[in-house]
C-alpha cells in the first residue's frame, strides 16, 4: 500500500481500466453463464439497503420483515407459503445449509448423502466441510437420476437424498415425485436443488408447459434451494434456502450472545440485507406475469437455438427441458467448437457429462444474438 492516497478521479480512472477488461452480460456474448444482467429495479433496491446486516436483524427490522415476506412468497411459489429459510449468497451456501440440517437432525456416526451424478460441485464442498460420505447415483438415458440406482445406494446411514430441478449442465429435472415417495416411506431428508429451475418451472407451469412436480407440494420434500441471482434477475450474491419445518433451522442454531437475536442458523454471520431488498422489490415489481414473460422468451429462444443447431448439422445431447442447450459435432470435439467460437467473441462453456458445448439462454440473450451465433456456428 502507498503511504499517501491518490485522488478520487484517479481511483475511478484506474477502476475503469479494470472494468474494460471484464465481459458484460449486456453484450449478449456470454452464453455459458447462469448469471445475467441484474434487473434495474433490483439494483435500485439493492443500493438502498447496502448497510443493512441481516446478521444482526434487531438493528434492521425492516429488512428482516422483508426477508420473512420473501421467504413466504418463494414458499408459495414452491407449493407451501408456510416455510422457513433465509436469503443467502447463492446455491452453494444453500446446498451446504441443507446438508448441514439433514446431518444435524439425525446426529449419527458416519453420515452419508446420495446425490445424482449430475449434481453441482457444491455438494462435494458440503460433503468435505460436513464430513459426509458422498454417494453418486447413476443417471438414466435422458440424464435424469436413475431411481433404482438411488434405491441401491440407500443405507441406514443415509441422512439425505438430493434431487435436482434444473441440472447445471443440461437443465434436466430429476423425477422428484418418485424421490419424494421413497423419502416419505423411508423417512429420509429430501433436498431439491432448484437453484436454476426454481424461478422458471413454476412460471412455465402457469403458462401451461406441464412441468414435472418438484417442490413442497410433494410431501417428501424437506428443503429447496432457489436462487434469485440466476433466473430471478437479482444482483449477485442472492441465493435462497427454504425448509419445510422450523426444526431444520433449529438444529443448526448457535448462540449469538451479544447480538439482537439469540441464535443464528446461517453459515455466515454478517449477511447483506441488500440481496433481500432486491428480491423483495423484484417479486413485487414483476409479479407472476413479469416472470412468465421472461421465462417464455427464454424458452422460445432456446427452441430457436436448438432448431438452428440441428439445422447446422450438430447433434443435441437431449431435447431442452429448460433454457439450456447442449450439443456436439460429429467431426469436431466440443473444446474445438468452443475455441473456434471464442475466436469470434462468444463465451461458451463445456458440459462434462456427456462432453458437449453448453449454452444457457439467460434473459440477457436476445434473438439477434442467437441468430448471429447460429451464423458463426454454421461458418465453422
Ligand atoms: N446448484 C445448481 C443446480 C447450480 O447450477 C449452481 C451454480 C449451484 C447450485 C451453485 O450456485 P452458486 O454458484 O450461486 O453458489 N451453477 C452455475 C455453474 O456452476 C453457476 C455459474 C454462474 C457459473 C455463472 C458460471 C457463471 O458464469 O455453472
Amino acid at each position: 500500500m502507498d503511504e499517501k492516497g491518490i485522488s478520487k478521479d484517479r481511483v475511478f480512472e484506474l477502476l475503469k481500466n479494470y472494468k474494460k477488461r471484464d465481459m458484460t452480460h449486456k453484450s449478449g456474448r456470454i452464453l455459458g453463464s447462469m448469471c445475467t444482467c441484474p434487473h434495474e429495479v433490483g439494483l435500485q433496491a439493492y443500493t438502498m439497503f447496502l448497510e443493512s446486516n441481516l446478521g444482526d436483524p434487531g438493528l434492521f427490522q425492516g429488512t428482516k420483515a422483508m426477508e420473512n415476506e420473501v421467504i413466504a412468497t418463494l414458499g408459495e411459489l414452491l407449493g407451501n407459503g408456510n416455510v422457513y429459510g433465509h436469503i443467502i449468497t447463492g446455491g452453494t451456501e444453500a446446498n451446504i445449509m441443507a446438508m448441514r440440517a439433514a446431518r444435524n437432525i439425525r446426529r449419527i456416526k458416519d453420515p452419508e448423502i446420495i446425490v445424482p451424478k449430475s449434481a453441482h460441485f457444491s455438494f462435494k464442498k458440503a460433503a468435505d466441510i460436513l464430513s459426509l460420505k458422498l454417494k453418486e447415483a447413476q443417471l438414466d438415458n435422458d440424464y435424469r437420476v436413475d431411481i433404482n440406482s438411488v434405491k441401491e445406494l440407500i443405507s441406514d446411514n443415509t441422512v439425505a437424498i438430493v434431487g435436482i430441478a434444473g441440472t447445471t449442465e443440461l437443465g434436466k429435472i430429476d423425477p422428484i415425485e418418485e424421490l419424494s415417495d421413497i423419502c416419505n416411506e423411508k423417512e429420509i431428508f429430501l433436498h431439491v436443488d432448484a437453484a436454476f429451475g426454481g424461478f422458471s418451472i413454476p412460471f412455465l407451469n402457469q403458462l401451461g408447459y406441464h412441468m414435472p412436480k418438484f417442490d413442497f407440494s410433494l410431501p417428501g420434500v424437506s428443503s429447496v434451494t432457489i436462487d434469485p441471482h440466476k433466473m430471478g434477475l437479482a444482483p449477485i450474491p442472492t441465493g435462497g434456502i427454504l425448509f419445510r419445518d422450523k426444526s431444520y433451522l433449529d438444529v443448526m442454531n448457535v448462540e449469538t450472545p451479544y447480538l439482537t437475536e439469540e441464535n443464528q442458523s446461517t453459515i455466515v454471520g454478517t449477511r447483506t440485507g441488500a440481496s433481500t431488498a432486491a428480491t423483495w422489490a423484484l417479486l413485487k415489481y414483476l409479479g407472476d406475469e413479469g416472470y412468465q414473460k421472461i421465462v417464455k422468451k427464454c424458452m422460445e429462444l432456446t427452441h430457436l437455438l436448438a432448431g438452428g443447431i440441428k439445422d447446422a448439422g450438430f447433434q443435441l445431447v437431449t431435447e431442452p427441458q429448460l433454457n439450456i442447450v447442449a450439443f456436439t459435432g460429429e467431426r469436431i470435439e466440443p473444446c474445438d467448437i468452443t475455441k473456434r467460437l471464442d475466436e469470434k467473441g462468444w463465451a461458451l462453456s463445456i458440459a462434462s457429462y456427456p462432453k458437449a458445448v453448453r449454452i444457457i439462454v439467460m434473459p440477457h440473450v436476445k434473438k439477434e444474438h442467437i441468430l448471429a451465433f447460429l451464423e458463426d456456428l454454421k461458418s465453422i
Side-chain angles (χ1 to χ4, degrees):
M1 189 149 72
D2 299 329
E3 193 182 333
K4 279 197 194 323
I6 57 175
S7 73
K8 192 168 140 191
D9 284 351
R10 181 73 186 129
V11 168
F12 282 95
E13 208 181 297
L14 292 171
L15 283 175
K16 269 188 208 149
N17 287 339
Y18 285 103
K19 182 84 180 153
K20 263 192 237 152
R21 288 161 57 185
D22 286 355
M23 285 191 82
T24 166
H25 292 97
K26 256 187 254 153
S27 67
R29 291 266 156 181
I30 303 184
L31 297 181
S33 159
M34 274 189 186
C35 292
T36 192
C37 303
H39 191 288
E40 50 167 342
V41 170
L43 269 183
Q44 210 176 321
Y46 191 95
T47 47
M48 211 176 140
F49 284 81
L50 279 178
E51 80 165 302
S52 72
N53 169 19
L54 281 170
D56 205 358
L59 303 181
F60 303 99
Q61 294 184 22
T63 312
K64 182 64 206 157
M66 273 194 292
E67 186 182 38
N68 293 342
E69 285 180 40
V70 167
I71 295 301
T73 307
L74 293 181
E76 272 165 28
L77 188 67
L78 301 180
N80 182 354
N82 195 21
V83 292
Y84 303 82
H86 290 292
I87 295 301
I88 48 179
T89 55
T92 299
E93 194 183 343
N95 289 338
I96 294 172
M97 277 185 73
M99 295 304 99
R100 182 174 172 222
R103 183 197 66 169
N104 288 8
I105 207 110
R106 288 275 304 279
R107 296 253 181 238
I108 57 168
K109 205 170 155 275
D110 303 325
E112 301 173 354
I113 58 172
I114 301 171
V115 309
K117 192 177 155 70
S118 52
H120 185 257
F121 53 80
S122 48
F123 289 99
K124 292 192 175 144
K125 297 183 185 177
D128 184 37
I129 294 167
L130 299 164
S131 298
L132 302 166
K133 180 170 175 191
L134 184 112
K135 289 179 160 180
E136 276 188 349
Q138 295 306 311
L139 307 184
D140 65 17
N141 49 19
D142 201 19
Y143 306 102
R144 288 177 286 217
V145 76
D146 183 312
I147 293 294
N148 287 326
S149 174
V150 172
K151 281 186 186 159
E152 280 165 19
L153 293 176
I154 294 174
S155 79
D156 291 344
N157 291 3
T158 306
V159 295
I161 293 178
V162 173
I164 311 168
T167 58
T168 306
E169 298 197 332
L170 302 176
K172 286 284 159 182
I173 304 168
D174 285 329
I176 309 289
E177 195 160 2
E178 287 167 79
L179 292 178
S180 165
D181 289 343
I182 295 171
C183 288
N184 220 9
E185 187 202 316
K186 298 194 182 288
E187 296 185 7
I188 297 173
F189 187 105
L190 173 59
H191 174 63
V192 176
D193 182 357
F196 182 63
F199 260 96
S200 52
I201 301 167
F203 302 115
L204 288 171
N205 257 329
Q206 291 169 9
L207 290 163
Y209 270 75
H210 301 296
M211 305 302 284
K213 284 191 179 176
F214 76 105
D215 59 15
F216 290 109
S217 60
L218 299 169
V221 172
S222 312
S223 59
V224 179
T225 290
I226 173 171
D227 271 3
H229 73 193
K230 294 190 167 75
M231 286 299 289
L233 299 184
I236 52 176
T238 309
I241 180 69
L242 307 179
F243 292 99
R244 181 184 290 278
D245 204 277
K246 188 170 169 295
S247 59
Y248 294 128
L249 283 178
D250 294 343
V251 289
M252 294 191 280
N253 268 341
V254 295
E255 273 181 47
T256 50
Y258 45 82
L259 299 186
T260 52
E261 63 179 353
E262 282 170 18
N263 300 292
Q264 199 172 81
S265 52
T266 48
I267 294 167
V268 291
T270 300
R271 180 161 61 93
T272 181
S275 300
T276 287
T279 310
W280 187 94
L282 285 169
L283 293 172
K284 288 280 180 207
Y285 180 75
L286 291 170
D288 284 339
E289 272 181 18
Y291 279 112
Q292 282 170 18
K293 246 169 105 178
I294 291 159
V295 173
K296 185 165 182 270
K297 204 203 83 187
C298 289
M299 286 310 294
E300 283 169 1
L301 291 182
T302 299
H303 291 128
L304 176 72
L305 174 66
I309 286 171
K310 283 195 257 185
D311 290 346
F314 293 84
Q315 294 77 44
L316 297 187
V317 169
T318 171
E319 279 305 318
Q321 212 173 357
L322 294 172
N323 44 325
I324 299 184
V325 182
F327 67 96
T328 53
E330 255 164 30
R331 292 182 303 273
I332 180 167
E333 287 298 315
C335 56
D336 290 327
I337 300 176
T338 53
K339 205 167 136 232
R340 303 267 294 273
L341 289 162
D342 180 71
E343 284 159 13
K344 293 179 184 288
W346 299 103
L348 303 166
S349 59
I350 295 194
S352 66
Y353 185 77
K355 271 251 176 314
V357 182
R358 158 188 181 254
I359 295 180
I360 307 152
V361 186
M362 291 300 285
H364 62 270
V365 181
K366 307 268 180 299
K367 189 172 176 183
E368 73 234 41
H369 304 131
I370 299 285
L371 296 177
F373 171 80
L374 287 172
E375 279 309 306
D376 284 344
L377 182 67
K378 274 185 222 152
S379 78
I380 67 156

